[in-house]
Amino acid sequence: MQARMKSKANADVMTAIQHFYKAIHASGVDPRVLGLVHLRVSQINGCSPCVFAGIESAKKHGETDQRLHNVVAWRETPFFTEAERAALALTEAATRIQDGAPGVTDEIWDAAAAHFDEKQLSALNLEIALTNFFNRINHTIREQAGKTW
């Protein structure tokens, strides 16, 4: 298996990404919810470096091992609030759009909108999109978990 070339990041791209993250974190969405969203997208996409980094970051924001171990089965556990469940449902629907999956239905959107205002919904959507973006880059270059960037 041939190693993938990893080039230095374009400074303009990195600046743009930093602006996205600044907007996300200025939205008023609890950083723990953003962490759950990041982790769930990365689990769905099988992105080991983002799962690894997501867990490390979530722990720094006070997330518990119990909740982190159960994000993958959030529907079957009592560990998440209704707002977190709405964010996770939105996350899954927005990420699983392949093979004719229905995407974000009105029911899923309305449930999220019941817990998050427009600015927060925008931030959640951007977090979902950026995580999917990084998952795909990591998959393309075969990045491994445990590395620091």
Side-chain angles (χ1 to χ4, degrees):
M1 178 182 329
Q2 184 178 6
R4 304 290 165 118
M5 219 178 212
K6 295 176 175 96
S7 60
K8 291 199 177 237
N10 178 311
D12 292 336
V13 171
M14 295 308 295
T15 298
I17 291 168
Q18 288 170 345
H19 286 292
F20 282 137
Y21 278 118
K22 184 178 178 181
I24 290 167
H25 290 280
S27 70
V29 177
D30 182 339
R32 288 176 33 153
V33 172
L34 293 171
L36 295 174
V37 165
H38 175 85
L39 179 57
R40 189 65 192 120
V41 170
S42 299
Q43 289 172 334
I44 292 167
N45 291 327
C47 182
S48 68
C50 286
V51 168
F52 180 86
I55 289 171
E56 293 296 309
S57 177
K59 285 183 175 186
K60 288 178 185 173
H61 285 104
E63 197 55 82
T64 66
D65 285 337
Q66 181 181 51
R67 284 168 41 96
L68 291 171
H69 288 297
N70 284 283
V71 168
V72 71
W74 62 270
R75 285 181 178 87
E76 291 81 32
T77 67
F79 308 127
F80 303 98
T81 67
E82 289 304 312
E84 290 166 338
R85 290 175 185 285
L88 289 166
L90 178 65
T91 298
E92 288 186 359
T95 299
R96 289 187 163 142
I97 57 175
Q98 77 289 349
D99 302 326
V104 179
T105 64
D106 288 343
E107 179 183 21
I108 291 169
W109 183 262
D110 292 344
H115 297 282
F116 302 98
D117 64 25
E118 280 188 39
K119 185 176 181 181
Q120 292 169 325
L121 283 170
S122 176
L124 286 170
N125 282 319
L126 189 52
E127 179 67 28
I128 293 164
L130 278 175
T131 303
N132 273 291
F133 170 78
F134 282 115
N135 290 173
R136 281 151 179 78
I137 289 172
N138 287 332
H139 182 76
T140 301
I141 65 172
R142 296 185 180 155
E143 189 67 47
Q144 293 181 342
K147 293 188 176 183
T148 56
W149 293 279

